[in-house]
Structures are given as C-alpha cells and as structure tokens.
Amino acid sequence: MVVKGEKNSFLGGGIHFHYGADKYIALLANMPNFSKNNLNNEGRIRTILDVGCGVACFGAYLLSFNIIAMYVAPNDVHQNHIQFSLERGIPTYLGVLGMKRLPYPRWSFELAHCSRCRIDWLQRDDILLLELDRLLKPGGYFAYLSPEAYAQDEEDLKIWREMSTLVERMCWKIATKRNQTVIWVKSLTNECYEESEPGTQLLVCRSDDDPDAAWEVPMEACITPYSDHKCFLSRPLSLSYYSLFPRCNISYVLDISIYLNIHGI
C-alpha cells in the first residue's frame, strides 16, 4: 500500500502475494486446469468465501472475473484490516470463528480460500472444517495455502497429517497440490461417506437440523449429508430435473459429467 495524499493505493501484491494478486489468481486457476486459466471457470465459480482479510487485494482482483468474494475477518487477527476491505467495496465482516455458524445457508460458495489465514482448522473437534463442508456446494473447492501444506518441521507435519485424515473422512479429495498450495474438492454425493469403514464416519447432524439456518445458530461438530432430493448426482440428469428442485443450480447439473471425467470418477 502506498499513501498518496488523501488516497491509499494498493499495488496488487497485498500482504502475501509477492508477485501480485492477479498472478496468484491465475496460479489457482491453473492448478485444477480451469478453462483458460480463469478462476471463473466459464461461470462455474462465482462466489468465494475468503477466510482472513488482509487489504482485500484478492477480492478486489476477483471482481474483474465476475466473482464476488465474501471476507470473514477473524476478530483476533484481522480486525485492523477490515476498514481497508470495506472501503474498497469488498463485502467483509468481523467474526469470531468456532462459536456460531457463519451467516450463510448451505451450499453458498463454490470455493473457500485460506492464504496463511492463521486459523486453527482443527479446533473444537474439527468444527471449522465441518462448517466449510456445510457452506461449500457439492463439487466445491477449498484452496489452502499455509505452512502445514509444505513445511517439513514436525509440528506442521503433525497438523497436515491430522487435516488430511479429517478431509478424507469428510470424503474430500485432493484435486491438486503444488508447492505451497493444496486444493481439495468436495464430494458430489453421499456414496463415499456411506461406504466408509465403520469407526471412521463422522457424526451426522441431527435429522431435525436445518443446514440453511444460519443466524445465531451454534456450530456443531457434525457433517450434513445431502438430502434425498439431491441436485448433484454422479450421472447426467435431464433438464426437467432442474424444474423439480429450484434450489439446484442448473449449471452445476450440466457440469457433473465434466467433473467426473476430470477427476476420474
């Protein structure tokens, strides 16, 4: 950031993107082989949950790709940055992670992003990663850039092993891993979870739990399975299926066969 009179100029690098946020975004798009190295991926990625705030260079650059990033600024580490983000026009709010659900219904985001966000994802029985699972759409991504993903000291390796074990139990798969960044992808169906070995399954949320309820709802360390009227199946659907379930996004219904080919399912 450079102060010029009454204005602050942001040069694109932000706090973590030494070569510019634009090049970092292109790298993220290249890792899972998105079309034309565009994170928008032909309209399939439109909403991103970015945990952490910085000075919002990531979110500001995403606007040119027709992507809206919603920032969650943890109260204990990012409270001084939130004003920069808001003044740049990027939706941001200050929150305490780990107590109550984030104020969004299920399947609100196609991608979640954490770039050295200094969040303990394994706290309170892994409750934060399970909350991400609620918020990500089936087939959604979690892009994670943190020392645990690439460092070799014992403490970071321990955290990485624990995170890897948890996301495997959540039926997420590594879509790609390169240098400092790993991108996980969420399963499209309940099939993987239902076929898990006894003793490895996570606690399923109560049948009366509403995954769309988000305002002042306590977080719980449980996983929300897809309902019986699933929108995202592991086989192509007719377009008439979309009219039966208006919550389903038709572009994702059409994307299923492409996803299956890419990931070898």
Side-chain angles (χ1 to χ4, degrees):
M1 182 185 73
V2 177
V3 178
K4 296 182 179 179
E6 297 182 351
K7 296 183 178 180
N8 297 320
S9 297
F10 299 89
L11 304 181
I15 297 174
H16 302 305
F17 313 128
H18 302 298
Y19 300 103
D22 54 342
K23 292 181 175 60
Y24 173 74
I25 291 169
L27 172 65
L28 286 183
N30 175 263
M31 287 179 63
N33 295 318
F34 284 171
S35 176
K36 300 177 181 178
N37 290 341
N38 187 329
L39 197 61
N40 177 277
N41 197 24
E42 297 185 342
R44 299 179 181 91
I45 304 291
R46 296 168 299 173
T47 53
I48 289 179
L49 178 68
D50 195 5
V51 183
C53 184
V55 292
C57 285
F58 182 67
Y61 272 79
L62 288 174
L63 292 174
S64 62
F65 296 98
N66 293 321
I67 298 173
I68 290 291
M70 171 59 75
Y71 278 97
V72 179
N75 185 52
D76 55 342
V77 290
H78 290 277
Q79 64 269 35
N80 294 326
H81 296 148
I82 192 171
Q83 190 65 32
F84 287 119
S85 180
L86 291 173
E87 290 187 4
R88 300 182 79 178
I90 308 302
T92 310
Y93 74 94
L94 199 62
V96 178
L97 299 180
M99 300 301 295
K100 294 182 179 179
R101 283 180 175 175
L102 299 181
Y104 310 103
R106 62 176 163 177
W107 304 355
S108 291
F109 301 95
E110 286 89 26
L111 187 147
H113 176 255
C114 164
S115 174
R116 298 187 181 93
C117 57
R118 298 169 62 190
I119 300 299
D120 179 8
W121 292 103
L122 300 174
Q123 64 175 281
R124 294 187 58 212
D125 298 321
D126 316 315
I127 201 167
L128 295 184
L129 278 176
L130 292 168
E131 174 67 356
L132 273 191
D133 186 83
R134 182 183 72 87
L135 295 175
L136 280 176
K137 290 181 178 177
Y141 297 90
F142 177 35
Y144 182 65
L145 190 157
S146 184
E148 295 86 31
Y150 62 90
Q152 295 300 312
D153 63 273
E154 189 54 38
E155 181 62 25
D156 285 333
L157 285 172
K158 179 176 181 292
I159 295 173
W160 173 251
R161 286 193 294 266
E162 291 178 357
M163 285 191 67
S164 297
T165 298
L166 174 61
V167 297
E168 183 177 354
R169 294 172 66 199
M170 292 164 58
C171 291
W172 293 10
K173 296 182 182 295
I174 292 181
T176 179
K177 186 173 186 286
R178 184 185 304 171
N179 299 329
Q180 303 179 4
T181 305
V182 59
I183 298 179
W184 283 290
V185 60
K186 180 179 173 179
S187 176
L188 284 168
T189 71
N190 288 325
E191 184 177 357
C192 166
Y193 186 78
E194 292 169 349
E195 294 178 353
S196 298
E197 293 291 330
T200 65
Q201 293 180 332
L202 296 165
L203 178 67
V204 175
C205 296
R206 303 183 314 273
S207 59
D208 62 348
D209 177 73
D210 181 4
D212 293 322
W215 189 251
E216 295 294 308
V217 177
M219 279 190 192
E220 294 187 31
C222 61
I223 194 166
T224 303
Y226 302 147
S227 60
D228 293 335
H229 52 276
K230 296 189 284 282
C231 313
F232 307 88
L233 302 179
S234 57
R235 54 185 179 275
L237 298 171
S238 66
L239 297 185
S240 61
Y241 191 90
Y242 173 67
S243 64
L244 297 176
F245 306 109
R247 282 188 56 84
C248 305
N249 183 298
I250 192 169
S251 66
Y252 277 80
V253 172
L254 296 175
D255 285 346
I256 290 174
S257 60
I258 299 174
Y259 173 95
L260 297 174
N261 289 333
I262 290 174
H263 296 283
I265 299 175

